[in-house]
Amino acid sequence: KNVDLTWSVNGDQSNISHFILRRQNVETGKLDLIGKAHGINTQNNYLFTDTIRHTDSGVFKYIITMQYFNLNLGPDYTSNEVVI
């Protein structure tokens, strides 16, 4: 089973190095780093596929954070709840 995350960016993307993707269990608060996505996309459409393991179950939120080329982090963007 997979969960596809899609998003876009409003405004200038040229300073974005990549996006950090995390998954948080709503019930326990446990936060897992699940990957990263490159920040350069001429179409401004981003996709990350989270491969769900058999041990992953519950209600989760996904958190996407921009990291800029100067190593600063942007704000966190949180998804709606997803039941796995």
Side-chain angles (χ1 to χ4, degrees), residues 1-3 23 48-53 56 62:
K1 183 176 182 180
N2 295 325
V3 174
R23 180 181 59 215
F48 180 85
T49 300
D50 182 20
T51 303
I52 304 302
R53 301 173 303 227
D56 296 327
Y62 288 90

Side-chain angles (χ1 to χ4, degrees), residues 7 34 36 38:
W7 68 95
I34 58 169
K36 67 178 182 174
H38 292 285

Side-chain angles (χ1 to χ4, degrees), residues 7-14 16 19 39 43-46 66:
W7 68 95
S8 62
V9 175
N10 294 327
D12 184 15
Q13 305 169 62
S14 65
I16 301 171
F19 298 90
Q43 308 225 343
N44 192 24
N45 293 313
Y46 297 90
M66 291 181 281

